[in-house]
Amino acid sequence: MTLKSILRSTTYTALVCATATLASMSISNAEDAANGVPVLSAEEVSRANQIYFERCAGCHGVLRKGATGKPLTTDITREHGFEYLRDFITYGSPGGMPNWGTSGEMSAEDIELMAKYVMTEPAAPPEFGMDKIKASWKVIVPVDQRPTKKMNDLDIENLFSVTLRDSGEIALIDGDSKEIVTIINTGYAVHISRISASGRYLFVIGRDAKVDLIDLWMEMPGKVAEVKVGSEARSVETSKYKGWEDKYAIAGAYWPPQYVIMDGETLEPKKVVSTRGMTYDTQEYHPEPRVASIVASHYAPEFIVTVKETGKILMVNYEDLDALKVTTIDAERFLHDGGFDSTGRYFIVAANARNKVAIVDTKDSQLEAIVETGGTTPHPGRGANFVHPTYGPVWATSHLGDEIVSLIGTDPEGHPDQAWKVVQMLEGQGGGSLFIKTHPTSKHLYVDTPLNPDIETSTSVAVFKIDEMTQEEPEYTVLPIAEWAGLTEGPRRIVQGEFNKAGDEIWFSVWNGLDQESAIVVVDDKTLKLKKVIKDKRLVTPTGKFNVYNTQYDVY
């Protein structure tokens, strides 16, 4: 991590400060040392805390209780022991654990440190209430000083917001010229980009819970406001219901577990709500129920907020923030990524550690179904919608834990016998898939596998032809994306395909190490041939890409 990105990451500072107690405890705990538990210096704890935040907390949790990743509580880690933990971190697994050592992304010294670190007790970071949220809020360009009309010649609808993970930036790339328009400083490791209902404002949120508001109408698009909603976060969204366009924004935090509703044009924090509470099934208290994905309903003035550890889906009505109405739907634990079906009515979200997806009817505000996906650890991103030649409209997810790609029927009126059932399971390249992609104009389904420990698998994508899914075992074509990029060093993980507005090309990130060359590879969707390689020294660790039009209108 560069000095520049460290300084930007206020979460890193907060987490280091929060472990002062842990450091003192570890240094002085002679009993632990006598029992073989590693004793770390304050400097080692600080270093390990930084690595854990950057690489581990998203899957394993700040308190290490697990969700997408396995729990790393000390009763488990101490039972496994140092050597097992060191080797597991080094080599990874087909179940989605990255091979941090063999990929070259972590040194042997750091891996040994992390194996020791997870054998010590975790310390909770400090709370982050409304006083701290308001103190972080900054309006850079007031609303009355912003343009009243679009001031540039950019085709905004075909812009791509590209996460530059480890530099704490995003790149705005023109979808036609494939040139970088500008680089914008943001929070660390932007997780998602979202577009306001009007298409004017771009919202991005970093893992350090920093939300940046970018005005795309400015002569050179740039930040107009920012705020921090916690210490760690993943999700942001804006109001889309008719009459409420651009009125509010919402961001959900991993730590503290809470969501914050903000003014849609200034990010002024209006309401902060904790998600701590009981799990839906055992009804036991959970101290860290993180906010995972959030979407905005098209059928009501509501945000749909998923709470990972408690397995609850919240329908948050924003008509009256002083008398907030929240409908709570019991779904399934360990909720994660998700997206709408092709009609925009049904929200489908993975409960990945339970190998299921939950479907919510956003029109009637009720749970429609819970579906077993048939694979291990579904991780759909927003999923992929297309019309199957036999089963009609379906939504697809791939899996972290195995090669299965599951197709779920989504048309209860036209295809009632197939609705909310797995109608077909395809076999892809293997485990470690993060995202699956298609487009209404495409005849292909793309599946990445960036976390697979096999280098040939993680540096390529599998492509299924939708018309051939009538076959009993449809075959796929492998696209050697990293080879096309001309990169020969580093992990070169291929991640997160994203279509342009027209749907005739798909972009893939070649995600390399911080000090290595990365790239974006553009593929012609009709021919599956290389169309363009985007290289620029400013493209540092590119991961997620979000086309403005497709994101604005939930096209996936």
Side-chain angles (χ1 to χ4, degrees):
M1 190 176 185
T2 63
L3 177 60
K4 179 171 66 171
S5 57
I6 289 175
L7 291 174
R8 277 195 209 115
S9 179
T10 51
T11 295
Y12 163 66
T13 303
L15 290 178
V16 169
C17 292
T19 56
T21 302
L22 174 59
S24 300
M25 180 186 69
S26 298
I27 292 169
S28 61
N29 198 330
E31 182 180 348
D32 277 355
N35 292 330
V37 178
V39 176
L40 304 179
S41 69
E43 291 77 16
E44 287 175 319
V45 170
S46 178
R47 171 65 180 160
N49 221 29
Q50 175 188 340
I51 296 172
Y52 188 83
F53 163 66
E54 292 177 4
R55 305 297 184 190
C56 315
C59 288
H60 298 287
V62 171
L63 302 182
R64 307 187 204 157
K65 293 183 178 294
T68 304
K70 300 293 185 182
L72 295 175
T73 49
T74 55
D75 59 319
I76 296 172
T77 57
R78 292 176 186 178
E79 178 71 21
H80 283 311
F82 169 77
E83 291 185 357
Y84 172 92
L85 296 168
R86 177 198 62 198
D87 292 346
F88 198 73
I89 297 169
T90 300
Y91 297 104
S93 78
M97 172 67 176
N99 52 328
W100 296 113
T102 55
S103 69
E105 291 178 271
M106 286 177 61
S107 67
E109 180 182 13
D110 280 344
I111 289 172
E112 291 191 1
L113 173 62
M114 295 310 295
K116 295 175 183 177
Y117 175 74
V118 297
M119 295 173 70
T120 64
E121 293 291 346
E127 296 298 315
F128 205 96
M130 182 58 88
D131 57 338
K132 292 183 179 179
I133 296 170
K134 285 187 174 180
S136 73
W137 172 50
K138 181 180 181 182
V139 176
I140 301 166
V141 182
V143 174
D144 60 5
Q145 295 179 24
R146 298 176 196 171
T148 57
K149 62 180 181 179
K150 182 171 172 284
M151 301 298 292
N152 57 62
D153 295 327
L154 297 170
D155 180 1
I156 288 178
E157 290 188 334
N158 203 29
L159 275 180
F160 286 74
S161 174
V162 179
T163 296
L164 305 181
R165 187 189 189 281
D166 289 349
S167 67
E169 300 167 319
I170 64 160
L172 290 182
I173 302 182
D174 182 83
D176 298 319
S177 68
K178 314 296 190 294
E179 297 291 333
I180 294 177
V181 174
T182 187
I183 302 289
I184 299 173
N185 294 339
T186 62
Y188 172 71
V190 163
H191 191 66
I192 59 172
S193 298
R194 288 292 180 262
I195 308 298
S196 66
S198 67
R200 172 176 183 169
Y201 290 112
L202 170 66
F203 296 77
V204 299
I205 188 166
R207 292 195 175 204
D208 57 1
K210 183 170 179 283
V211 181
D212 292 289
L213 178 62
I214 297 163
D215 188 352
L216 299 178
W217 279 13
M218 294 168 64
E219 186 174 351
M220 177 57 69
K223 281 197 299 184
V224 293
E226 61 183 42
V227 71
K228 267 180 65 67
V229 297
S231 298
E232 188 184 1
R234 294 295 185 277
S235 52
V236 68
E237 183 59 289
T238 72
S239 53
K240 294 182 177 178
Y241 186 62
K242 186 177 181 181
W244 295 86
E245 298 92 337
D246 296 16
K247 174 69 174 178
Y248 291 121
I250 184 173
Y254 268 23
W255 189 272
Q258 61 193 28
Y259 59 87
V260 179
I261 299 175
M262 303 158 284
D263 182 273
E265 291 187 313
T266 66
L267 299 184
E268 179 185 1
K270 297 289 188 178
K271 191 87 171 179
V272 57
V273 182
S274 173
T275 55
R276 288 186 173 101
M278 305 300 178
T279 59
Y280 91 94
D281 46 4
T282 60
Q283 299 190 52
E284 295 175 297
Y285 179 76
H286 198 291
E288 191 191 358
R290 297 172 286 175
V291 176
S293 48
I294 303 176
V295 295
S297 174
H298 301 278
Y299 288 86
E302 293 178 333
F303 293 118
I304 298 94
V305 178
T306 64
V307 186
K308 186 185 292 283
E309 280 76 10
T310 55
K312 297 179 179 181
I313 298 174
L314 311 179
M315 314 292 285
V316 180
N317 187 297
Y318 47 75
E319 287 180 293
D320 186 348
L321 299 188
D322 293 325
L324 196 67
K325 296 179 181 179
V326 180
T327 300
T328 301
I329 298 173
D330 290 346
E332 184 56 279
R333 293 184 67 183
F334 310 115
L335 299 168
H336 195 64
D337 285 348
F340 287 111
D341 77 312
S342 60
T343 69
R345 174 173 176 173
Y346 298 97
F347 175 55
I348 309 172
V349 58
N352 49 26
R354 292 285 175 88
N355 306 323
K356 300 175 183 178
V357 296
I359 297 104
V360 171
D361 183 344
T362 64
K363 182 178 180 180
D364 294 335
S365 295
Q366 65 183 21
L367 184 69
E368 188 74 15
I370 300 286
V371 180
E372 298 242 9
T373 64
T376 303
T377 320
H379 194 289
R382 290 169 288 180
N385 291 299
F386 60 93
V387 178
H388 190 282
T390 302
Y391 303 112
V394 298
W395 178 91
T397 181
S398 52
H399 294 78
L400 272 169
D402 57 35
E403 72 281 3
I404 297 299
V405 178
S406 300
L407 313 184
I408 297 172
T410 60
D411 184 17
E413 294 186 5
H415 297 77
D417 293 338
Q418 286 77 43
W420 318 131
K421 299 176 183 177
V422 175
V423 296
Q424 188 173 9
M425 290 190 291
L426 313 176
E427 290 192 8
Q429 292 197 87
S433 176
L434 287 180
F435 300 103
I436 188 168
K437 204 70 178 178
T438 189
H439 187 275
T441 66
S442 175
K443 296 182 178 181
H444 298 113
L445 178 66
Y446 297 80
V447 185
D448 70 18
T449 42
L451 298 186
N452 194 290
D454 176 71
I455 190 68
E456 290 188 8
T457 303
S458 65
T459 57
S460 61
V461 297
V463 187
F464 292 90
K465 291 184 178 180
I466 294 173
D467 291 343
E468 294 181 359
M469 290 182 183
T470 54
Q471 300 174 8
E472 185 174 346
E473 296 183 3
E475 297 182 353
Y476 55 82
T477 299
V478 177
L479 304 185
I481 303 295
E483 179 183 322
W484 286 351
L487 304 180
T488 58
E489 297 181 350
R492 297 167 294 148
R493 292 190 173 104
I494 308 307
V495 65
Q496 213 263 342
E498 177 76 341
F499 276 86
N500 63 343
K501 177 187 174 182
D504 57 10
E505 61 187 35
I506 183 169
W507 297 27
F508 289 97
S509 295
V510 186
W511 174 19
N512 232 338
L514 179 62
D515 298 320
Q516 297 163 322
E517 186 179 24
S518 293
I520 293 174
V521 171
V522 182
V523 177
D524 187 305
D525 177 63
K526 298 297 187 290
T527 64
L528 300 184
K529 302 295 184 181
L530 174 64
K531 188 170 184 177
K532 175 78 174 180
V533 177
I534 304 173
K535 289 184 179 180
D536 191 298
K537 64 181 181 180
R538 296 171 292 173
L539 276 180
V540 179
T541 58
T543 52
K545 297 168 300 304
F546 300 87
N547 175 267
V548 166
Y549 181 88
N550 293 337
T551 305
Q552 180 183 357
Y553 293 103
D554 295 309
V555 177
Y556 38 78

